[in-house]
Amino acid sequence: MLITFEGIDGAGKSTQVMKLKRHLQERGREVLALREPGGTPVAEQIRELLLESRNDITPAGELLLFSASRAELVQQVIQPALEHGSDVILDRFYDSTTAYQGYGRGLDLGMLAEINRIASCGLVPDITFYLDLMPEDALMRKFSEKSLPLAFESEELDRMENSGLDFYRRVRDGYHKIGGENPERIVMIDALLSPAEINRKITESLDALCAKAH
Ligand SMILES: Nc1ncnc2c1ncn2[C@@H]1O[C@H](COP(=O)(O)OP(=O)(O)OP(=O)(O)O)[C@@H](O)[C@H]1O
Ligand SMILES: [Mg+2]
């Protein structure tokens, strides 16, 4: 099964990926947890290019770099793992491209859909958990995590994180549209709930999905 996590930076994706990985492993599943961009030697080099705050990258360049990283990860790691029968949990997948480069940066959504299909080799998640958080709350989490004074731009944040509050508002609105268009795949969860409550909602959704499949 391919399970993906989406949401703006600081929404709690990585926290939930680790919890879910442990939960599935306890049930005897073989689980691979990966985060985008990255996950292969080439994809990790692309990740560094994308997140380095001194790099000035155009929206089209950003789109193609994220997509190149995804193509590497899908073909070299995700597809082989799924064929082997493992569960794969992804911290971000192509919905991030639609939300960030489409709704956030303003690139054409039809073009993005085509590039997303190429980069993901047509692979569609079985289920996607979208953790919904206001950008202001996400920013507070980031700064308390790094023990920094609150500011909307900082050398301590990566290139994407330094894109500003309006950008993150567009990204969040974009995620809402994507969720509305894919109700059968995307489960929206209030990210202000406690990590344990969010984990419970996630495992309940997965149980319901498995019951439906059998
Ligand atoms: N449900 C929650 N309630 C309160 N704080 C949380 C919750 N989930 C995670 N956090 C805290 O918020 C911060 C961000 O969480 P996390 O790293 O899991 O988010 P993320 O979505 O993976 O962020 P990024 O996109 O930057 O990787 C961490 O300090 C984490 O401990
Ligand atoms: Mg994370």
Side-chain angles (χ1 to χ4, degrees):
M1 192 151 56
L2 178 61
I3 303 159
T4 65
F5 280 84
E6 295 286 350
I8 62 172
D9 306 60
K13 299 178 296 298
S14 304
T15 303
Q16 293 302 324
V17 167
M18 292 321 296
K19 281 185 177 295
L20 180 61
K21 182 180 180 182
R22 226 174 303 133
H23 171 86
L24 292 174
Q25 282 175 334
E26 279 165 12
R27 293 191 163 190
R29 298 286 306 170
E30 207 172 295
V31 186
L32 190 60
L34 303 160
R35 58 125 168 72
E36 279 209 340
T40 76
V42 166
E44 286 295 327
Q45 288 183 46
I46 296 173
R47 179 185 179 89
E48 279 177 33
L49 282 174
L50 279 166
L51 299 187
E52 167 56 56
S53 57
R54 282 168 304 192
N55 285 345
D56 183 14
I57 305 177
T58 61
E62 182 179 286
L63 163 69
L64 294 169
L65 284 168
F66 273 113
S67 300
S69 163
R70 180 166 306 135
E72 296 304 301
L73 187 67
V74 168
Q75 290 201 43
Q76 295 191 358
V77 184
I78 299 173
Q79 281 181 331
L82 291 173
E83 279 161 24
H84 178 256
S86 299
D87 287 325
V88 177
I89 309 176
L90 274 182
D91 194 331
R92 297 194 179 287
F93 199 37
Y94 59 76
D95 294 320
S96 287
T97 299
T98 310
Y100 281 72
Q101 281 73 50
Y103 290 100
R105 304 271 192 237
L107 292 179
D108 180 77
L109 295 174
M111 184 246 318
L112 284 189
E114 188 60 29
I115 290 181
N116 280 344
R117 247 190 317 274
I118 296 169
S120 59
C121 302
L123 197 61
V124 177
D126 294 287
I127 192 163
T128 298
F129 296 105
Y130 164 62
L131 304 180
D132 186 44
L133 193 64
M134 300 229 307
E136 291 84 347
D137 292 324
L139 199 72
M140 300 240 271
R141 283 189 186 174
K142 282 267 147 195
F143 278 87
S144 70
E145 185 182 49
K146 294 179 184 180
S147 302
L148 293 166
L150 197 61
F152 290 130
E153 283 189 25
S154 163
E155 285 179 5
E156 302 294 327
L157 297 182
D158 69 37
R159 198 183 60 83
M160 294 302 294
E161 289 168 342
N162 259 327
S163 297
L165 209 53
D166 281 345
F167 172 75
Y168 277 101
R169 289 196 180 113
R170 291 196 299 276
V171 173
R172 181 179 182 229
D173 289 346
Y175 270 127
H176 287 187
K177 293 205 180 93
I178 299 165
E181 286 163 6
N182 298 274
E184 69 301 333
R185 171 172 67 86
I186 301 180
V187 180
M188 291 221 207
I189 299 176
D190 180 0
L192 282 177
L193 295 171
S194 74
E197 283 171 308
I198 295 172
N199 174 252
R200 191 172 49 78
K201 284 182 180 287
I202 288 168
T203 55
E204 280 172 4
S205 296
L206 281 174
D207 287 344
L209 184 71
C210 290
K212 213 164 66 181
H214 289 120

